[in-house]
Amino acid sequence: MRNFRFLLIIIALAGCSRTEKRIKRAEIYMKKMEPLKAISLLSSDSSARALLMLAKIHFKIDHPAEGIETIEKLCRLHPEKCKDGLKIVEEYKEKAMKSGRRYAAVQCILTLKKLDPDYKGEEDLKYLGDYYYDKEDYEDAVQYYEEWLLTDSTDIDTRLKLSRAFQKLGNLENAYSVLKNGEKISGGWEVRYELGKVSFLLGKKFFKEGNYVMAEEFLKETIKIGLPEVLIDDAYFLLGDIAFSKNDSRQAEIYYRKVIDLNRFSSNAIVRKAQKRIELCNRMGG
C-alpha cells in the first residue's frame, strides 16, 4: 500500500514537472510573439495552471470563443479554480464592451451568468436586453429587460424599449402595463406618446373583436392623453362607430363631428367617411 502511494506521488510530481516545463516554454513563445505555438504546447495539458494560461492567451489574441471553452473546461475539471478563470472572462468582457465588440461581450456575460451562481452583474442585464433588441430578438430582449427592471424600476428608457418589444411580439396588454407603470414614475412626453399609441391599438383590437366596452375604454384614454395627435381623429371615429352600433345616433354624430373639427382644413378620407356617417345618423334620427 505504501509503495502504491509512493508511486502516485512520483506520478503527480512528474506531471507537475511536465506542466511547469510547458508553461515556461509557453511563456518564451509569448515573449517571441508566437501565441499559436504556445497554444499548441498547452492544449494537451489539463492541469489548472495550464488551462488558466491557455485561456489568457486565447483572450489576449482575441479568440473569445476558445477562451470561454477553456474556462468552461477549467471549471469542470478544477472547480476550486473556477473563480480565477471567471476573472479572466470578466476582464475581457469589460474590454469588449469598451471597444464595441458586442457579440463577444454578450458571450462573456452569458458565460459568467452560467458558471458563477454569485454573479452580480445587474447592469449587464440591460446590456443583454439592448443587444437582443437591436438584433430584433424580442423574446430574449423582453427576458433581460424584465430582469433589469426588477433592479431599477425607474429606468424609463428601458421601459419604453420593453413596451416596444412587447408590441413587436403582438402582446399589447403587456406593452400597456409596462407603460402604465412607467407613467407613475415619469409622466414625460415620450411615455405619454407611447401610452396613447398602445391604448389606441388596444382600442382598435377590441373593436375588431366586438368587445366595445373595452374598446371604448382604451380609445377614450388615447383621447384623454391627447397623443399621438394623428390618432385622435381615428379614436373619435371608432367611438362614433361604437355608438352607432348601439343605435345611439345622437352620440355617434357628436363623435363624427369631432373628426371633422379636428380636420377643419382638410377633406381627407376619414373626413369624407365621417360626413357619410353623419348622413346615416340623421336618417336614423329622423
Side-chain angles (χ1 to χ4, degrees):
M1 188 67 175
R2 287 181 181 176
N3 289 338
F4 181 69
R5 287 178 180 172
F6 181 73
L7 181 62
L8 288 176
I9 292 169
I10 294 297
I11 292 171
L13 289 172
C16 290
S17 177
R18 284 195 296 271
T19 294
E20 191 66 35
K21 286 178 181 177
R22 287 193 185 103
I23 287 174
K24 284 183 178 179
R25 285 177 61 195
E27 287 172 346
I28 292 170
Y29 283 135
M30 291 303 293
K31 286 178 181 177
K32 291 181 177 180
M33 305 295 287
E34 295 178 318
L36 296 182
K37 287 184 178 180
I39 289 171
S40 178
L41 181 65
L42 294 169
S43 292
S44 60
D45 195 326
S46 294
S47 69
R49 288 185 65 200
L51 289 171
L52 280 167
M53 185 173 185
L54 182 59
K56 286 179 180 177
I57 294 170
H58 279 309
F59 283 117
K60 186 177 181 64
I61 63 174
D62 282 331
H63 289 174
E66 291 83 353
I68 288 170
E69 185 180 341
T70 304
I71 295 300
E72 287 177 338
K73 184 177 180 180
L74 171 74
C75 292
R76 188 170 64 253
L77 298 178
H78 309 281
E80 74 283 357
K81 293 292 183 181
C82 190
K83 286 202 177 291
D84 292 336
L86 294 177
K87 285 179 183 176
I88 299 170
V89 179
E90 177 74 33
E91 289 170 3
Y92 189 82
K93 179 205 79 174
E94 295 296 332
K95 175 184 171 184
M97 282 181 166
K98 288 177 182 176
S99 62
R101 298 183 62 205
R102 298 180 75 192
Y103 178 78
V106 165
Q107 296 311 304
C108 288
I109 294 169
L110 294 176
T111 300
L112 291 166
K113 281 173 64 65
K114 181 174 74 172
L115 298 179
D116 186 359
D118 300 320
Y119 187 57
K120 303 295 184 185
E122 287 88 358
E123 284 281 349
D124 291 341
L125 296 170
K126 182 177 180 178
Y127 189 93
L128 288 171
D130 286 342
Y131 174 78
Y132 287 114
Y133 183 89
D134 292 342
K135 283 179 64 66
E136 299 182 5
D137 183 346
Y138 299 114
E139 287 187 3
D140 281 339
V142 163
Q143 176 191 335
Y144 292 115
Y145 279 150
E146 286 187 322
E147 287 185 42
W148 164 243
L149 286 173
L150 291 175
T151 302
D152 183 4
S153 62
T154 64
D155 185 344
I156 295 301
D157 180 62
T158 296
R159 280 193 177 278
L160 290 166
K161 286 183 177 178
L162 176 57
S163 173
R164 289 165 190 153
F166 274 129
Q167 290 175 60
K168 292 290 186 180
L169 293 170
N171 193 333
L172 293 173
E173 287 83 355
N174 278 3
Y176 175 85
S177 178
V178 167
L179 292 167
K180 202 67 178 171
N181 289 332
E183 187 185 32
K184 296 172 186 174
I185 299 164
S186 168
W189 181 86
E190 201 167 4
V191 173
R192 289 172 54 245
Y193 183 95
E194 285 292 319
L195 185 58
K197 182 182 76 172
V198 173
S199 295
F200 174 79
L201 293 174
L202 277 168
K204 190 174 180 181
K205 171 179 173 287
F206 285 121
F207 177 83
K208 287 181 177 179
E209 293 171 357
N211 188 342
Y212 294 146
V213 173
M214 294 299 294
E216 198 168 4
E217 179 181 329
F218 284 108
L219 291 169
K220 284 182 177 179
E221 183 164 3
T222 297
I223 291 168
K224 182 180 178 182
I225 293 169
L227 293 168
E229 290 183 6
V230 294
L231 294 178
I232 303 302
D233 54 356
D234 291 283
Y236 273 118
F237 189 89
L238 289 176
L239 286 172
D241 281 357
I242 291 171
F244 191 83
S245 71
K246 295 176 181 178
N247 294 320
D248 188 349
S249 57
R250 183 171 174 278
Q251 184 60 56
E253 183 176 346
I254 291 171
Y255 285 135
Y256 294 136
R257 289 199 179 279
K258 288 294 293 185
V259 174
I260 295 171
D261 289 343
L262 288 168
N263 295 274
R264 216 169 284 174
F265 305 105
S266 174
S267 59
N268 55 28
I270 196 169
V271 169
R272 292 193 295 274
K273 284 169 69 176
Q275 289 169 338
K276 287 181 180 179
R277 292 284 205 283
I278 290 171
E279 291 174 7
L280 285 172
C281 288
N282 290 334
R283 284 202 291 271
M284 282 181 63

